Amino acid sequence: MRSALPPLLLLYAALALALASAPRRAWRPCLGLLAATAFVTITTPPPWHEGVFVGCWSSVAVTAAGGLICRTDRQLAWGLSVNAGLWSGALAAVTGAPLEPLAALPALGLLPAAAWALRHLSFPAVRVMSSWLVAVAVLAVTLACLPVTPGYLPDHLE
């Protein structure tokens, strides 16, 4: 069985980067929504198990892109938090590791640093990190959707 930790870490990092441009007073409700939604989803696992990894990686791309497109307002921040909570809870329920979302929480530590960089330095690194997360998530979804796993195809040099 695959580990849920890598997609969860990147999902929470994407959420932190997206919330960095949201108003500071929206952070606490967003993190509460994330925790509540993840808890509810872990206790009631989804009836479908096949597409949870693809859905979580897609959610990483959408969440990271949400921070890239525009300044995150309160409603978008709430929606991104609920989305991240749903996918993290579903992934933890499907993999049978309900404590994995807790292990991924340190990725949310990017939030204050990214917000400080956006407000004081207008630092492009936050945007670069968000675009990197989009690229990694798109690659992960693409690899998951390929019919053949890399390594099983004959090499072009053989």
Side-chain angles (χ1 to χ4, degrees), residues 136-151:
V136 168
V138 168
L139 286 172
V141 168
T142 304
L143 285 176
C145 294
L146 287 177
V148 180
T149 305

Side-chain angles (χ1 to χ4, degrees), residues 37-123:
T37 309
F39 177 74
V40 169
T41 311
I42 288 172
T43 57
T44 58
W48 37 269
H49 296 297
E50 293 302 317
V52 173
F53 275 93
V54 172
C56 186
W57 283 115
S58 300
S59 181
V60 170
V62 167
T63 303
L68 278 173
I69 294 171
C70 61
R71 183 167 173 83
T72 308
D73 62 348
R74 187 176 279 170
Q75 288 80 19
L76 178 61
W78 291 344
L80 291 174
S81 297
V82 168
N83 180 41
L86 284 172
W87 285 111
S88 64
L91 195 60
V94 166
T95 58
L99 297 179
E100 293 281 328
L102 292 176
L105 282 179
L108 289 171
L110 285 173
L111 179 58
W116 183 85
L118 280 175
R119 287 186 177 88
H120 295 286
L121 301 174
S122 72
F123 206 55

